[in-house]
Amino acid sequence: MTKKRVLSGMRPTGPLHLGHLHGVLKNWLKLQEEYQCFYFVADWHALTTEYENPKKIPAFSRELLLEWLAVGLDPERSVLFVQSAIKEHAELYLLFAMFTPVSWLERNPTYKDMIRELKQKDLATYGFLGYPVLQAADILIYRAEKVPVGVDQLPHLELTREIARRFNYLYEKELFPLPEPILAEVPKIPGTDGRKMSKSFGNAIFLNDDEETVRQKIQTMVTDVKRPRKSDPGDPENRCVAFQLMKLYFSPEELEEIVSACKAAQLGCVACKKKLADKVVEGLRPLWERRRALEEKPGLFEEIVNAGNEKARKFARETLEQAKETLFGSKWY
Ligand code: TRP
């Protein structure tokens, strides 16, 4: 029996942090056990918003792939690839563009939100409006049935289904499946200042930070501000940012112990955050080791990425050929 296909992508806009690890990559790793997974670097999508600074994109793309491998995504089982290496995405995108009504794109809530949020950038471009059409091509060219994404991506996925439906209807063939989202439960990952962890807030612990940096950053995490001395009883559940992160790293029993020691004013914040740092470092160490092993072998990384691109291309080509044959009614360029 062939496995169902999963596809997802990330835009290469910066280094990965703990938020990506717990929010996205752990889920990708799990899916790898059950599905045939395609994971790709959406560098053309990054270009829709970074077209003024495109020179950063290759390094960020490389960084993403390195971290995916460091986390343990297995290139033998999952197809890891780069969007812009597979020109077939662009051709399918062009074909989809022909029958996608502009009104579908203009009413897309993610589109409207992003224009509003990124108002320092001029996103009134043709490319940005077409963002979800390109995304539909990414997904449908692998005839993926499942797409793990965050809630912000649901409108894009809905559009992908509408595009698939419209193609199948117009050209009278059920070529494309209607892909479903996989909405994983995403834990809230606080940055060191308590806001959502994000590169742009400067509060992130990056996966490739070294041990010393991770420990330092964790010591700067905000704890209960109403507890200036160890001898004051704390309220970790309601007032401590570090505790929010601890929930991801400690068992319920360990957490209970920490809570009661904090409330009883027996455990100080410095010592407590040291425990957290130990856990985070322990969690990151295998990533650091895998990454180092990879970087020590010259050419290996390129080999892995080329092989992933090759597999993706083969698959994408097949779908594209079928799509064109369906559309034109015969074999045509
Ligand atoms: N739009 C996605 C994001 O910003 C990235 C992406 C591009 C994607 N193509 C995709 C995700 C296809 C899933 C499937 O996160």
Side-chain angles (χ1 to χ4, degrees):
M1 213 187 76
T2 56
K3 290 183 182 170
K4 284 196 173 179
R5 277 182 303 277
V6 155
L7 174 131
S8 199
M10 259 187 217
R11 284 175 302 137
T13 52
L16 297 180
H17 54 62
L18 290 181
H20 298 108
L21 177 63
H22 297 289
V24 182
L25 294 171
K26 289 256 165 94
N27 188 37
W28 284 16
L29 270 177
K30 209 167 67 212
L31 292 168
Q32 181 176 253
E33 306 292 326
E34 206 184 317
Y35 295 95
Q36 165 68 75
C37 296
F38 290 78
Y39 296 127
F40 75 101
V41 175
D43 55 344
W44 279 334
H45 277 107
L47 204 51
T48 63
T49 54
E50 307 303 314
Y51 61 86
E52 289 177 296
N53 283 307
K55 305 256 180 331
K56 301 184 294 191
I57 293 177
F60 285 153
S61 297
R62 212 187 133 78
E63 180 62 25
L64 276 193
L65 285 157
L66 269 169
E67 291 296 13
W68 294 354
L69 293 165
V71 161
L73 288 176
D74 176 2
E76 297 295 320
R77 278 192 289 175
S78 298
V79 182
L80 309 177
F81 68 99
V82 178
Q83 181 185 38
S84 68
I86 319 297
K87 314 301 179 207
E88 285 75 4
H89 289 223
E91 192 172 346
L92 190 61
Y93 162 61
L94 178 144
L95 297 175
F96 286 169
M98 301 306 166
F99 62 73
T100 302
V102 175
S103 61
W104 288 5
L105 304 174
E106 284 173 338
R107 70 168 189 233
N108 178 322
T110 308
Y111 174 71
K112 290 195 260 180
D113 284 353
M114 276 187 85
I115 295 255
R116 210 174 312 123
E117 276 167 35
L118 300 175
K119 53 179 163 315
Q120 73 287 6
K121 289 186 187 166
D122 180 5
L123 294 182
T125 59
Y126 170 53
F128 191 65
L129 182 66
Y131 185 113
V133 185
L134 180 57
Q135 184 158 344
D138 298 334
I139 297 168
L140 296 174
I141 208 160
Y142 302 100
R143 283 167 281 145
E145 285 149 299
K146 301 275 178 191
V147 184
V149 282
V151 281
D152 63 308
Q153 295 292 309
L154 292 180
H156 289 162
L157 209 58
E158 185 58 44
L159 252 163
T160 299
R161 282 196 296 277
E162 285 178 48
I163 288 173
R165 223 179 270 124
R166 191 154 164 87
F167 182 101
N168 294 346
Y169 167 78
L170 283 171
Y171 310 116
E172 299 172 325
K173 185 174 173 183
E174 292 295 309
L175 180 62
F176 294 115
L178 307 183
E180 301 282 342
I182 298 180
L183 274 180
E185 217 178 298
V186 177
K188 278 214 171 65
I189 318 290
T192 49
D193 59 358
R195 292 185 291 173
K196 180 179 180 237
M197 188 176 286
S198 159
K199 164 183 62 116
S200 41
F201 292 157
N203 64 2
I205 297 167
F206 296 105
L207 303 186
N208 202 36
D209 276 342
D210 61 26
E211 176 168 352
E212 196 47 42
T213 309
V214 172
R215 290 186 179 279
Q216 269 167 12
K217 285 182 178 175
I218 288 176
Q219 278 305 333
T220 70
M221 285 193 97
V222 180
T223 50
D224 185 345
V225 288
K226 295 202 179 140
R227 190 192 178 207
R229 287 172 302 265
K230 179 182 164 188
S231 55
D232 301 319
D235 181 2
E237 286 123 320
N238 298 307
R239 292 205 297 253
C240 178
V241 172
F243 187 73
Q244 298 310 310
L245 193 58
M246 294 179 97
K247 287 188 195 160
L248 291 172
Y249 282 91
F250 290 90
S251 68
E253 297 75 42
E254 289 170 314
L255 285 171
E256 220 173 272
E257 215 170 283
I258 290 164
V259 170
S260 59
C262 177
K263 285 185 170 166
Q266 285 162 351
L267 176 63
C269 296
V270 173
C272 186
K273 285 191 278 190
K274 162 90 172 41
K275 284 174 186 279
L276 172 60
D278 289 343
K279 288 276 193 187
V280 174
V281 164
E282 192 185 307
L284 289 175
R285 202 178 301 286
L287 275 66
W288 296 334
E289 281 167 8
R290 265 188 232 111
R291 181 165 172 153
R292 188 159 5 93
L294 198 62
E295 285 173 329
E296 272 169 10
K297 298 206 185 88
L300 179 58
F301 173 76
E302 284 69 23
E303 213 174 281
I304 291 172
V305 177
N306 288 338
N309 286 343
E310 226 25 80
K311 282 189 223 168
R313 188 174 298 122
K314 192 157 171 278
F315 202 108
R317 235 175 227 170
E318 243 163 69
T319 308
L320 181 64
E321 287 308 315
Q322 284 186 39
K324 287 194 287 187
E325 219 172 306
T326 303
L327 193 144
F328 290 117
S330 63
K331 237 181 163 20
W332 179 248
Y333 301 103

